[in-house]
Every structure is written in C-alpha cells, then in structure tokens.
C-alpha cells in the first residue's frame, strides 16, 4: 500500500513490520521479519526517519525503532491519497509507547500533527509555549480544552488574541538576536513534545519519561518568570548593560 504513496518496496516492508508490532524493534529483528537485506536495513531506516514515518530511540546502548502512529500517518498523507490511506488503516495495528524512551521526530508536518493529537488527549492540564503563529494554529484546540475544564496555560512570543484565561506574553527586544523558534507542549504532566530548529529544519523529541517532564515544566515556568520580569522591569533592565548583555544571550 505504501508504494502507492511513493515509498519503495523496502520502505513499505519496514513500515509494515514496525506498525504491526506492539513493541519497538531493533534492526536485527526488522531484518528477520521484513525480508529487507541486512546490507540495506540502515539505509532504509534512515530514509524512513528522514520522511517522518519512523521514530528512533536508544535503550541500554541498543537502537530501537517504531513506526509513526497510524492516525498521524493518515493526517500526513490523507489530503492527496485519502482512499489509499483508509485501506492502510484497516491493515495495520497500533503499538505501545514506553515511558523510559525518548523518541526523536523529524519533518515539520509530522511534528505538528503529533502535537495536535497530544493536545486532544489532555484531561487535566496543558502547558504550551511557542511563537505566535504556531500558537495560533492550535488555538481552537486550546480554547475548547479550557471550556472542557482543562487547566490551560500559554507562553507566547508575540501578541495573541484569545479567550484563554492564562496567557503570558513575551515581546522580544530588538537587540534580542539569540531568540530561537521553539515549541513546547506538556500534557497532564505525563507527556511532552519539544521541538526546535536545527539547520533550518524542525527536530523534535517526545517522551513520557518523568525526569524529562519535570525538567520541561520547570523550563516552561522559567520562561514565564523571565517574561514577567522583563515586562515589568524592561526599562530598568535594558538600561543596565550588564543585565542586558546576559538577557540577550538567553534563548527564552
């Protein structure tokens, strides 16, 4: 089926095996069950990772692979190939994520789709930070979740008009050359997606690991605190060259 979407035979065989497995697999088992030659497996996996269809992680010095969840594959491909995607949906199974893994994700369309899906699962809380245009894209979801009783808190770089109760705004100084585009989403304090730009391409990590979640929640409130301090004491801070030089080096 995936060959109809422009994927090679080997890519299709690798994706079918990973999507049908409930657990991540290493390259040896992928070769065993997919029929892809051992000499080709890493090349094929690398292409699928670059296309945003496969996620990789390292566990106990062993590299593991898993397929992008099918619902996200559908959102990624459905515009052009709706009928083929629906057939693919009926022939693959979901697999499980494991809390100890940190998954890497590439391709902006895959990151955006996975972010929206994660937000839809929120029952208790959402912490989101990012630039105005990225927040605007998910604003309807955030506002609907708040109406449902979910505690939604947003830090936005730039002005944002919304009905949300808790929005913190950062307006960068003109001199702030170190400010980088980023997206952070923490849902129910149980799962996080963090994305940033690297060599003009979006790269992201997704995890349920408790230590990482704790760090990113602290990361969120670190940015909120800096935004509040800058907003209230901007003139004082910008007139102090020592403080200003430090602020201009911050990513927030």
């Amino acid at each position: 089926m995936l060959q109809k979407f422009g994927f090679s035979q080997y890519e299709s065989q690798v994706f079918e095996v990973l999507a049908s497995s409930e657990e991540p697999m290493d390259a040896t088992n992928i070769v065993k069950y997919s029929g892809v030659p051992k000499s080709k497996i890493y090349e094929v996996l690398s292409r699928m990772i670059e296309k945003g269809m496969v996620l990789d992680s390292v566990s106990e010095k062993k590299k593991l692979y898993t397929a992008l969840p099918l619902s996200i594959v559908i959102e990624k491909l459905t515009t052009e190939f709706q009928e083929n995607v629906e057939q693919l949906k009926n022939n693959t199974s979901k697999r499980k994520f494991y809390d100890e893994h940190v998954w890497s994700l590439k391709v902006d369309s895959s990151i955006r789709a996975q972010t929206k899906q994660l937000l839809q699962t929120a029952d208790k809380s959402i912490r989101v930070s990012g630039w105005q245009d990225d927040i605007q894209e998910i604003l309807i979801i955030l506002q609907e979740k708040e109406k449902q009783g979910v505690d939604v808190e947003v830090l936005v770089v730039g002005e944002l008009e919304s009905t949300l109760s808790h929005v913190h705004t950062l307006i960068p100084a003109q001199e702030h050359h170190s400010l980088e585009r980023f997206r952070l989403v923490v849902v129910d304090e149980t799962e996080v997606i963090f994305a940033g730009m690297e060599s003009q391409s979006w790269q992201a990590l997704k995890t349920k690991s408790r230590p990482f979640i704790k760090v990113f929640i602290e990361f969120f409130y670190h940015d909120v605190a800096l935004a509040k301090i800058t907003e209230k004491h901007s003139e004082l801070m910008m007139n102090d060259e020592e403080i200003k030089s430090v602020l201009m080096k911050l990513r927030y």
Side-chain angles (χ1 to χ4, degrees):
M1 279 303 304
L2 283 182
Q3 292 178 62
K4 297 182 180 180
F5 294 90
F7 293 88
S8 71
Q9 180 177 343
Y10 285 166
E11 289 171 343
S12 302
Q13 289 171 214
V14 166
F15 184 84
E16 180 181 2
V17 167
L18 289 175
S20 301
S21 175
E22 291 188 349
E23 298 182 358
M25 302 177 70
D26 59 20
T28 300
N29 280 318
I30 296 173
V31 168
K32 179 179 178 180
Y33 294 110
S34 69
V36 176
K38 184 177 180 180
S39 61
K40 295 286 186 181
I41 192 63
Y42 289 107
E43 177 186 343
V44 174
L45 286 168
S46 179
R47 288 202 303 267
M48 293 298 277
I49 291 170
E50 290 296 328
K51 292 178 180 180
M53 296 288 287
V54 168
L55 296 82
D56 64 328
S57 179
V58 177
S59 178
E60 298 180 354
K61 297 183 179 181
K62 179 184 289 188
K63 199 159 190 178
L64 300 177
Y65 303 88
T66 189
L68 194 69
L70 183 59
S71 59
I72 301 175
V73 172
I74 291 174
E75 184 169 347
K76 182 177 171 63
L77 303 176
T78 189
T79 301
E80 190 173 358
F81 301 105
Q82 181 64 51
E83 291 183 1
N84 289 338
V85 170
E86 289 300 323
Q87 185 174 348
L88 181 66
K89 182 180 180 181
N90 295 327
N91 285 280
T92 55
S93 303
K94 295 181 178 180
R95 81 291 166 278
K96 298 176 182 179
F97 275 111
Y98 290 84
D99 292 350
E100 68 269 20
H101 295 136
V102 178
W103 300 103
S104 62
L105 181 64
K106 298 182 179 180
V107 183
D108 190 30
S109 59
S110 294
I111 297 170
R112 291 178 183 273
Q114 192 140 356
T115 297
K116 291 177 182 178
Q117 186 189 62
L118 178 59
L119 288 170
Q120 294 287 10
T121 67
D123 292 321
K124 299 177 182 178
S125 66
I126 295 175
R127 301 290 177 264
V128 177
S129 60
W131 288 52
Q132 184 273 340
D133 54 343
D134 290 326
I135 300 297
Q136 190 69 48
E137 183 177 327
I138 58 175
L139 184 58
I140 293 177
I141 299 176
L142 297 176
Q143 292 178 156
E144 183 60 32
K145 282 295 179 180
E146 187 172 74
K147 289 180 182 178
Q148 295 172 8
V150 176
D151 180 20
V152 178
E153 192 167 4
V154 176
L155 172 67
V156 58
V157 180
E159 296 287 353
L160 179 71
E161 293 186 7
S162 75
T163 61
L164 295 172
S165 303
H166 304 291
V167 176
H168 312 284
T169 303
L170 169 65
I171 306 298
Q174 292 182 352
E175 304 94 328
H176 207 146
H177 303 301
S178 298
L179 194 61
E180 301 174 355
R181 291 191 69 94
F182 65 95
R183 303 174 195 143
L184 172 64
V185 176
V186 184
V187 167
D188 294 340
E189 298 189 4
T190 60
E191 191 164 4
V192 62
I193 291 179
F194 179 77
M197 293 288 288
E198 183 176 331
S199 301
Q200 303 303 310
S201 298
W202 281 98
Q203 312 275 347
L205 64 83
K206 179 180 178 182
T207 185
K208 294 181 180 180
S209 171
R210 291 302 304 169
F212 275 97
I213 292 169
K214 182 178 180 180
V215 167
F216 279 112
I217 291 175
E218 293 178 355
F219 186 78
F220 175 83
Y221 284 108
H222 161 272
D223 283 1
V224 170
L226 284 172
K228 291 293 186 183
I229 293 170
T230 303
E231 179 184 6
K232 291 186 177 182
H233 305 288
S234 176
E235 184 175 349
L236 174 63
M237 297 169 71
M238 291 304 167
N239 287 332
D240 187 311
E241 289 301 322
E242 183 179 0
I243 296 177
K244 179 179 176 180
S245 66
V246 173
L247 285 176
M248 293 305 103
K249 296 176 183 177
L250 293 176
R251 178 214 56 83
Y252 84 106

